[in-house]
Structure formats: C-alpha cells, structure tokens
C-alpha cells in the first residue's frame, strides 16, 4: 500500500482505507445497519380487559374503554416537576454581606 493519496477512516472496520476503495464499498449498496428494515411499533395486541372481560386487538381501544369506565391506567400518567422554592433574597444579601465583612471587605 502506498502512503500517499487520500485515505478515509472506515468506522465499521476501525481502519484507514484508500478513499477509492471506501467509495467502492459504499456504492455496492450495502445496508447501513445489520437490520433489514427499521423497527416498527404497531398498535396491534390481543389482550383481555380486566375491567369488562372483552378481548381487544388495539391498545388505543383498550385505553379508551378504561377512560370511559372511569379507570386510570397506572404507569402512564405524566409526572410534573415539583415547584421550585421561592428564594429569600433578603436573607441571601444578609449572608453575603456577613461573609464579606468577616474577610474584611466592606460594602
């Protein structure tokens, strides 16, 4: 191999390869991933409702039946951040002034 010319870092192999070889490998139509297709999340499910005993084939339909009957599906509620405590600006100013006076800096 020659030391001169353009080289490209191949992430898949972790090596430097000549740029023309790298482009040739990429143009062969190799998949970017080892997976044949992207992962698809479907709504299809076969589950028996514990509320009314019916079989449902859709998660959305199951959740809709829960809401209609007044039930709450545990684990899906949105968590809200607790409110931030209000800072006592006067106490902060007082403690800063006290600390500065202890080291000999007057304000």
């Amino acid at each position: 191999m020659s030391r001169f010319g353009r080289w490209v870092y191949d992430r898949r192999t972790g090596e430097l390869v000549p740029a023309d070889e790298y482009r040739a490998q990429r143009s062969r139509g190799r998949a970017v991933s080892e997976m044949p297709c992207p992962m698809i999340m479907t709504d299809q499910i076969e589950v028996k409702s514990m509320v009314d005993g019916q079989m449902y084939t859709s998660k959305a339909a199951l959740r809709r039946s829960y809401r209609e009957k007044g039930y709450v599906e545990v684990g899906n509620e949105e968590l809200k951040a607790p409110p931030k405590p209000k800072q006592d600006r006067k106490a902060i100013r007082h403690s800063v002034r006290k600390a500065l006076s202890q080291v000999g800096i007057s304000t």
Side-chain angles (χ1 to χ4, degrees):
M1 280 193 201
S2 168
R3 290 177 41 169
F4 302 105
R6 292 190 59 210
W7 293 76
V8 177
Y9 179 75
D10 189 356
R11 290 184 202 166
R12 190 175 47 85
T13 61
E15 298 176 347
L16 287 174
V17 293
D20 53 345
E21 286 181 24
Y22 181 76
R23 275 191 244 112
Q25 287 175 354
R26 298 285 292 184
S27 66
R28 281 191 214 132
R30 290 181 37 95
V32 175
S33 169
E34 298 294 324
M35 295 181 187
C37 66
M39 185 173 168
I40 299 171
M41 300 291 286
T42 65
D43 187 48
Q44 295 292 324
I45 189 172
E46 280 200 30
V47 64
K48 184 177 182 179
S49 172
M50 301 311 266
V51 174
D52 57 11
Q54 292 182 352
M55 290 293 291
Y56 288 95
T57 58
S58 168
K59 295 176 198 174
L62 177 66
R63 290 180 176 136
R64 187 172 33 252
S65 74
Y66 287 161
R67 280 192 305 266
E68 288 172 357
K69 291 174 178 48
Y71 289 93
V72 176
E73 186 175 4
V74 178
N76 290 336
E77 56 275 345
E78 291 184 25
L79 299 177
K80 296 178 181 170
K84 293 183 179 181
K86 191 129 174 136
Q87 295 180 349
D88 185 7
R89 306 296 273 169
K90 191 173 183 179
I92 292 171
R93 251 186 253 110
H94 176 69
S95 64
V96 169
R97 283 187 181 139
K98 183 178 176 182
L100 290 175
S101 69
Q102 287 176 352
V103 294
I105 302 173
S106 64
T107 56

